[in-house]
Amino acid sequence: MSDICVEITGLKKSFGPLEVLKNIDLQVNRGDVVCIIGPSGSGKSTLLRCVNLLEEPNGGKVVVNGVELTDPDVDIDLARTKIGMVFQSFNLFSHLNVLNNLTVAQRKVLKRDEREAQEIGLRNLERVGLSEKANSMPAQLSGGQQQRVAIARALSMDPEVMLFDEPTSALDPELVGDVLGVMRQLADEGMTMLVVTHEMQFAREVADKVIFMDGGYIVEAGPADEVIGNPQEERTKSFLSRVL
Ligand code: ADP
Ligand code: MG
């Protein structure tokens, strides 16, 4: 397989008359962590959602793992199984215990049998440091623990790339570190990750590339030390001065 995991070219997305993504080109190499930063409403979530076609682009191409998702003939459900997504709101199934949260899609989508799905689920719970919570209900867990379960659930599908949309924004400050710690560990293990975040410290330390978005465009992109440490564009400087 090629070294490119996600390739986006000329991506456009509108909601009615509102042009949200104007012309996005983005390449994510296998094993890289790309952090997307930018003001609210700049199109960050829409971009992420176009990567797995939760939003259907109005123009341009999205290729993930060599499969063009924007090709109308593609099996989008199959392609999506290789793309993990973690949202700001954890979206666990509240009526299922933790382990069943981790096994349901494995069984229904990947057709794994119960025993295999449980083994894989338990392995991924261990990865996020929550082995002892397998039988807990989501409501019994802290927000940080619920988010780590959501990450374990995504990992249980053996994704080739993980998309994170502000995974720590809904958490109490003291719980943010545990979730970022898990993400850092995934990055160290070589997971390809696209992360929308306001955690500038995380972006600086973990990202191979940082993208600053504003008004539906990528305004500035490059190594974290350049984009965050020494931004060239006025809009980037102004955004960073407000969040740092
Ligand atoms: P960000 O994640 O950077 O805050 P979003 O991608 O969520 O930005 O939103 C970008 C713009 O698109 C905003 O103006 C938002 O209101 C609009 N938008 C997002 N999703 C929809 C939708 N489903 N329908 C209409 N407008 C939307
Ligand atoms: Mg958003």
Side-chain angles (χ1 to χ4, degrees), residues 65-126:
N65 301 313
V67 178
E68 189 195 331
L69 303 188
T70 37
D71 175 348
D73 294 329
V74 87
D75 181 345
I76 186 67
D77 292 328
L78 178 68
R80 271 203 197 109
T81 64
K82 295 282 162 211
I83 307 172
M85 181 137 189
V86 175
F87 302 89
Q88 178 175 341
S89 53
F90 332 118
N91 298 347
L92 296 178
F93 304 113
S94 58
H95 62 293
L96 296 179
N97 75 16
V98 165
L99 187 56
N100 288 336
N101 261 279
L102 269 56
T103 58
V104 59
Q106 294 189 64
R107 290 191 288 112
K108 292 205 170 138
V109 180
L110 302 182
K111 311 293 178 202
R112 287 178 180 154
D113 68 39
E114 180 73 30
R115 209 180 59 101
E116 187 189 13
Q118 288 195 354
E119 269 175 26
I120 291 169
L122 287 169
R123 201 183 311 145
N124 283 302
L125 262 191
E126 194 178 328

Side-chain angles (χ1 to χ4, degrees), residues 45-213:
S45 294
T46 304
L47 172 58
L48 217 56
R49 292 164 64 81
C50 282
V51 175
N52 60 5
L53 250 65
L54 281 179
E55 298 291 357
E56 197 169 343
N58 298 105
K61 254 168 88 163
V62 177
V63 179
V64 181
N65 301 313
V67 178
E68 189 195 331
L69 303 188
T70 37
D71 175 348
D73 294 329
V74 87
D75 181 345
I76 186 67
D77 292 328
L78 178 68
R80 271 203 197 109
T81 64
K82 295 282 162 211
I83 307 172
M85 181 137 189
V86 175
F87 302 89
Q88 178 175 341
S89 53
F90 332 118
N91 298 347
L92 296 178
F93 304 113
S94 58
H95 62 293
L96 296 179
N97 75 16
V98 165
L99 187 56
N100 288 336
N101 261 279
L102 269 56
T103 58
V104 59
Q106 294 189 64
R107 290 191 288 112
K108 292 205 170 138
V109 180
L110 302 182
K111 311 293 178 202
R112 287 178 180 154
D113 68 39
E114 180 73 30
R115 209 180 59 101
E116 187 189 13
Q118 288 195 354
E119 269 175 26
I120 291 169
L122 287 169
R123 201 183 311 145
N124 283 302
L125 262 191
E126 194 178 328
R127 245 168 130 182
V128 301
L130 289 174
S131 302
E132 77 281 11
K133 300 293 186 190
N135 299 312
S136 301
M137 297 304 284
Q140 297 172 306
L141 305 180
S142 74
Q145 290 171 331
Q146 290 187 50
Q147 192 58 299
R148 283 147 67 199
V149 171
I151 293 172
R153 179 174 64 179
L155 292 173
S156 296
M157 302 296 280
D158 299 330
E160 303 257 2
V161 54
M162 289 279 285
L163 312 177
F164 293 88
D165 193 356
E166 299 197 35
T168 60
S169 292
L171 300 177
D172 290 335
E174 76 272 22
L175 304 176
V176 168
D178 288 344
V179 172
L180 292 181
V182 165
M183 292 168 65
R184 200 180 285 258
Q185 171 196 321
L186 284 182
D188 288 344
E189 290 167 10
M191 178 64 74
T192 310
M193 297 163 52
L194 251 162
V195 184
V196 174
T197 187
H198 294 292
E199 297 289 337
M200 294 301 143
Q201 184 74 11
F202 175 84
R204 270 198 101 141
E205 289 172 12
V206 180
D208 296 285
K209 182 154 119 183
V210 170
I211 285 170
F212 172 70
M213 279 184 74

Side-chain angles (χ1 to χ4, degrees), residues 15 18 20 39-46 55:
F15 296 105
L18 181 67
V20 173
S40 178
S42 57
K44 304 181 300 296
S45 294
T46 304
E55 298 291 357

